[in-house]
Amino acid sequence: QQQVKQSPQSLIVQKGGIPIINCAYENTAFDYFPWYQQFPGKGPALLIAIRPDVSEKKEGRFTISFNKSAKQFSLHIMDSQPGDSATYFCAALKAAGNKLTFGGGTRVLVKP
Amino acid sequence: DTGVSQDPRHKITKRGQNVTFRCDPISEHNRLYWYRQTLGQGPEFLTYFQNEAQLEKSRLLSDRFSAERPKGSFSTLEIQRTEQGDSAMYLCASGPLYEQYFGPGTRLTVT
């Protein structure tokens, strides 16, 4: 059972555009929602994370929007650059279990 | 300390052989995790340690897989009698509580 669903699978934007990646979760016990960026051949790198008591969080050009009632959250990449081209994963964690459950990933391509 | 390190980065082995991977976490982190990632998919949880205690194991971790974290420092993941389906990237992560920081992974190819 896929507990975190991520869309779209891939996304192409022009430099300066705002890619938006969406995730939906099922388990209301999740209480920590991170986003990871992964380049080919590398491990995932923690970008930004949010707790469900907050509706939005910004760090640099990355913003998470969180809708607890809809059980959805999204990542916006402001002023995207070609160097942002990577695969992005959303994830969710239950404090009691402590394991991350990942979405399927979104491959983002930012064209110059 | 520059982050989580894993060794080796790449391993090619023949079916039926045993392999062992090592993970060195960020020194102040007491939690250590192993995940497996296949091409085009998100990482899948395998097992988790808090200090030297192994607290949770996934159903993905068959009896051919064993993980240890002696003295609560580095960890090893051993796969016995490897199968072609074991080919994947094996990722280690460490963290203080919620955050998990990943290493570069070990790419295993079983021929």
Side-chain angles (χ1 to χ4, degrees):
Chain A
Q1 181 185 9
Q2 186 181 6
Q3 295 192 56
V4 180
K5 295 184 179 180
Q6 185 171 344
S7 63
Q9 287 188 314
S10 63
L11 198 49
I12 301 174
V13 298
Q14 293 295 132
K15 178 182 172 183
I18 305 175
I20 301 172
I21 306 169
N22 301 298
C23 284
Y25 63 97
E26 299 167 6
N27 192 332
T28 54
F30 288 139
D31 62 353
Y32 174 77
F33 302 89
W35 285 90
Y36 285 85
Q37 177 190 58
Q38 188 174 31
F39 294 104
K42 307 291 185 184
L46 179 61
L47 267 181
I48 185 173
I50 198 166
R51 300 291 302 276
D53 53 347
V54 176
S55 61
E56 185 176 273
K57 184 174 181 181
K58 293 182 182 181
E59 282 186 8
R61 295 184 295 106
F62 299 95
T63 299
I64 301 179
S65 298
F66 190 87
N67 186 330
K68 186 175 180 178
S69 61
K71 293 187 287 184
Q72 294 176 348
F73 58 110
S74 60
L75 178 71
H76 297 57
I77 307 174
M78 306 301 182
D79 187 28
S80 60
Q81 302 297 312
D84 296 328
S85 297
T87 300
Y88 293 82
F89 292 96
C90 63
L93 179 148
K94 292 183 286 185
N98 230 267
K99 60 187 177 187
L100 286 169
T101 299
F102 282 84
T106 297
R107 184 175 289 185
V108 174
L109 176 62
V110 181
K111 290 189 169 182
Chain B
D1 195 321
T2 56
V4 178
S5 61
Q6 293 187 245
D7 184 69
R9 294 293 309 280
H10 303 274
K11 179 71 177 178
I12 300 173
T13 191
K14 293 185 178 180
R15 186 165 50 99
Q17 297 296 303
N18 299 344
V19 293
T20 300
F21 310 140
R22 177 181 170 123
C23 170
D24 286 272
I26 295 170
S27 57
E28 60 266 31
H29 292 168
N30 63 352
R31 296 170 187 235
L32 186 148
Y33 311 82
W34 286 98
Y35 292 82
R36 181 171 69 186
Q37 185 178 27
T38 52
L39 207 59
Q41 303 296 316
E44 294 178 294
F45 171 80
L46 292 178
T47 190
Y48 149 58
F49 291 84
Q50 183 166 328
N51 299 311
E52 65 274 12
Q54 188 173 18
L55 296 186
E56 188 172 352
K57 293 197 296 186
S58 162
R59 287 172 295 175
L60 292 175
L61 215 66
S62 76
D63 55 7
R64 295 185 298 107
F65 288 70
S66 63
E68 294 183 340
R69 192 183 182 196
K71 302 178 183 177
S73 55
F74 71 92
S75 176
T76 58
L77 178 68
E78 181 183 16
I79 309 174
Q80 296 183 328
R81 305 180 304 281
T82 52
E83 302 172 355
Q84 287 189 319
D86 297 332
S87 295
M89 175 80 88
Y90 289 84
L91 293 163
C92 176
S94 71
L97 184 60
Y98 283 93
E99 298 89 352
Q100 295 185 23
Y101 300 92
F102 283 82
T106 294
R107 168 74 64 190
L108 173 65
T109 302
V110 182
T111 62

